[in-house]
Amino acid sequence: MTTSIPTVVLIHGAFADATSWSGVITELQSEGIPVIAPPNPLRGLAADAAYVASVAAQIDGPVVLVGHSYGGALITVAGTTENVVGLVYVAAYVLEEGESLGELQGRFPDSPLVSNLKQWTYPVADGDPAAEVTITAEAFPSVFAADVPADVTKVLAVAQRPLAAGAFTETASAAAWQTKPSWALIAGADQAINPEVERFGAERAGATVVEIEGASHAVAVSQPKEVAALILDAVRAVG
């Protein structure tokens, strides 16, 4: 057991940015919990996980990593960092070592997200342009944030951060949940990740699970109190 209050590090997923945690941050700060929400590069599993690990390693004292969506895959790898003491998955992918996002998803029926992606290209330092994806603007509200007010989703839809397409095929080099305690929030009405994918990963990891019926993929935006409550449970358990 640790003696200091863990710092909570919030890792956003694809098609979002760190401001998606705003409500959760407010809740955690009101409880006196130190918290940071760094930018997720969204360029690939290995590189992004290395970035998250470097952020955690530079924090004095214990860290609880929280990952939303694709961010769950990152904390699974980055969570092996020595000072990480707990993992919290929020409507997230929970990978096994050697598994990719595509492999985990492929075991279950596709969510509506899959047929509503728009592909773009971006330049890389050497070689041909690489591909990245966003959710089509018209599908974004129903797929990503069905329980968020329409005026908010219109803004979120045009402010998306794209995910490098290569992230779907990269495999996890580690699975920190094998040695560290984990918690998971399942968004029961998720249209971006099939809730069965979330449940399967959480159960395989032996996570303490909370499910919110009717919650969209953007559950941290729509229900920040509930998300923060699970994070607080984790912080209290390890701190």
Side-chain angles (χ1 to χ4, degrees), residues 84-98:
V84 173
V85 293
L87 310 166
V88 182
Y89 295 93
V90 179
Y93 294 106
V94 188
L95 296 181
E96 173 63 278
E97 184 176 352

Side-chain angles (χ1 to χ4, degrees), residues 196-223:
E196 289 297 330
V197 174
E198 299 171 18
R199 292 185 195 105
F200 173 83
E203 289 168 11
R204 180 172 61 181
T208 300
V209 176
V210 170
E211 180 155 345
I212 300 182
E213 190 176 342
S216 78
H217 193 60
V219 62
V221 178
S222 64
Q223 307 205 40

Side-chain angles (χ1 to χ4, degrees), residues 16 22-23 32 56 59 65 92-93 98 108 131 136 163 165 171 177-179 186 196 200 207:
S22 296
I59 293 171
L65 286 179
Y93 294 106
F108 301 90
T136 61
L163 175 65
T171 59
W177 50 258
Q178 292 177 336
T179 56
I186 311 302
E196 289 297 330
F200 173 83

Side-chain angles (χ1 to χ4, degrees), residues 1-7 34 59-64 81-86 180-181 183 233-239:
M1 298 292 281
T2 57
T3 52
S4 58
I5 299 174
T7 297
I59 293 171
D60 290 331
V63 167
V64 170
T81 306
E82 189 175 352
N83 62 326
V84 173
V85 293
K180 298 183 181 181
W183 288 257
D233 285 348
V235 167
R236 289 165 181 148
V238 299

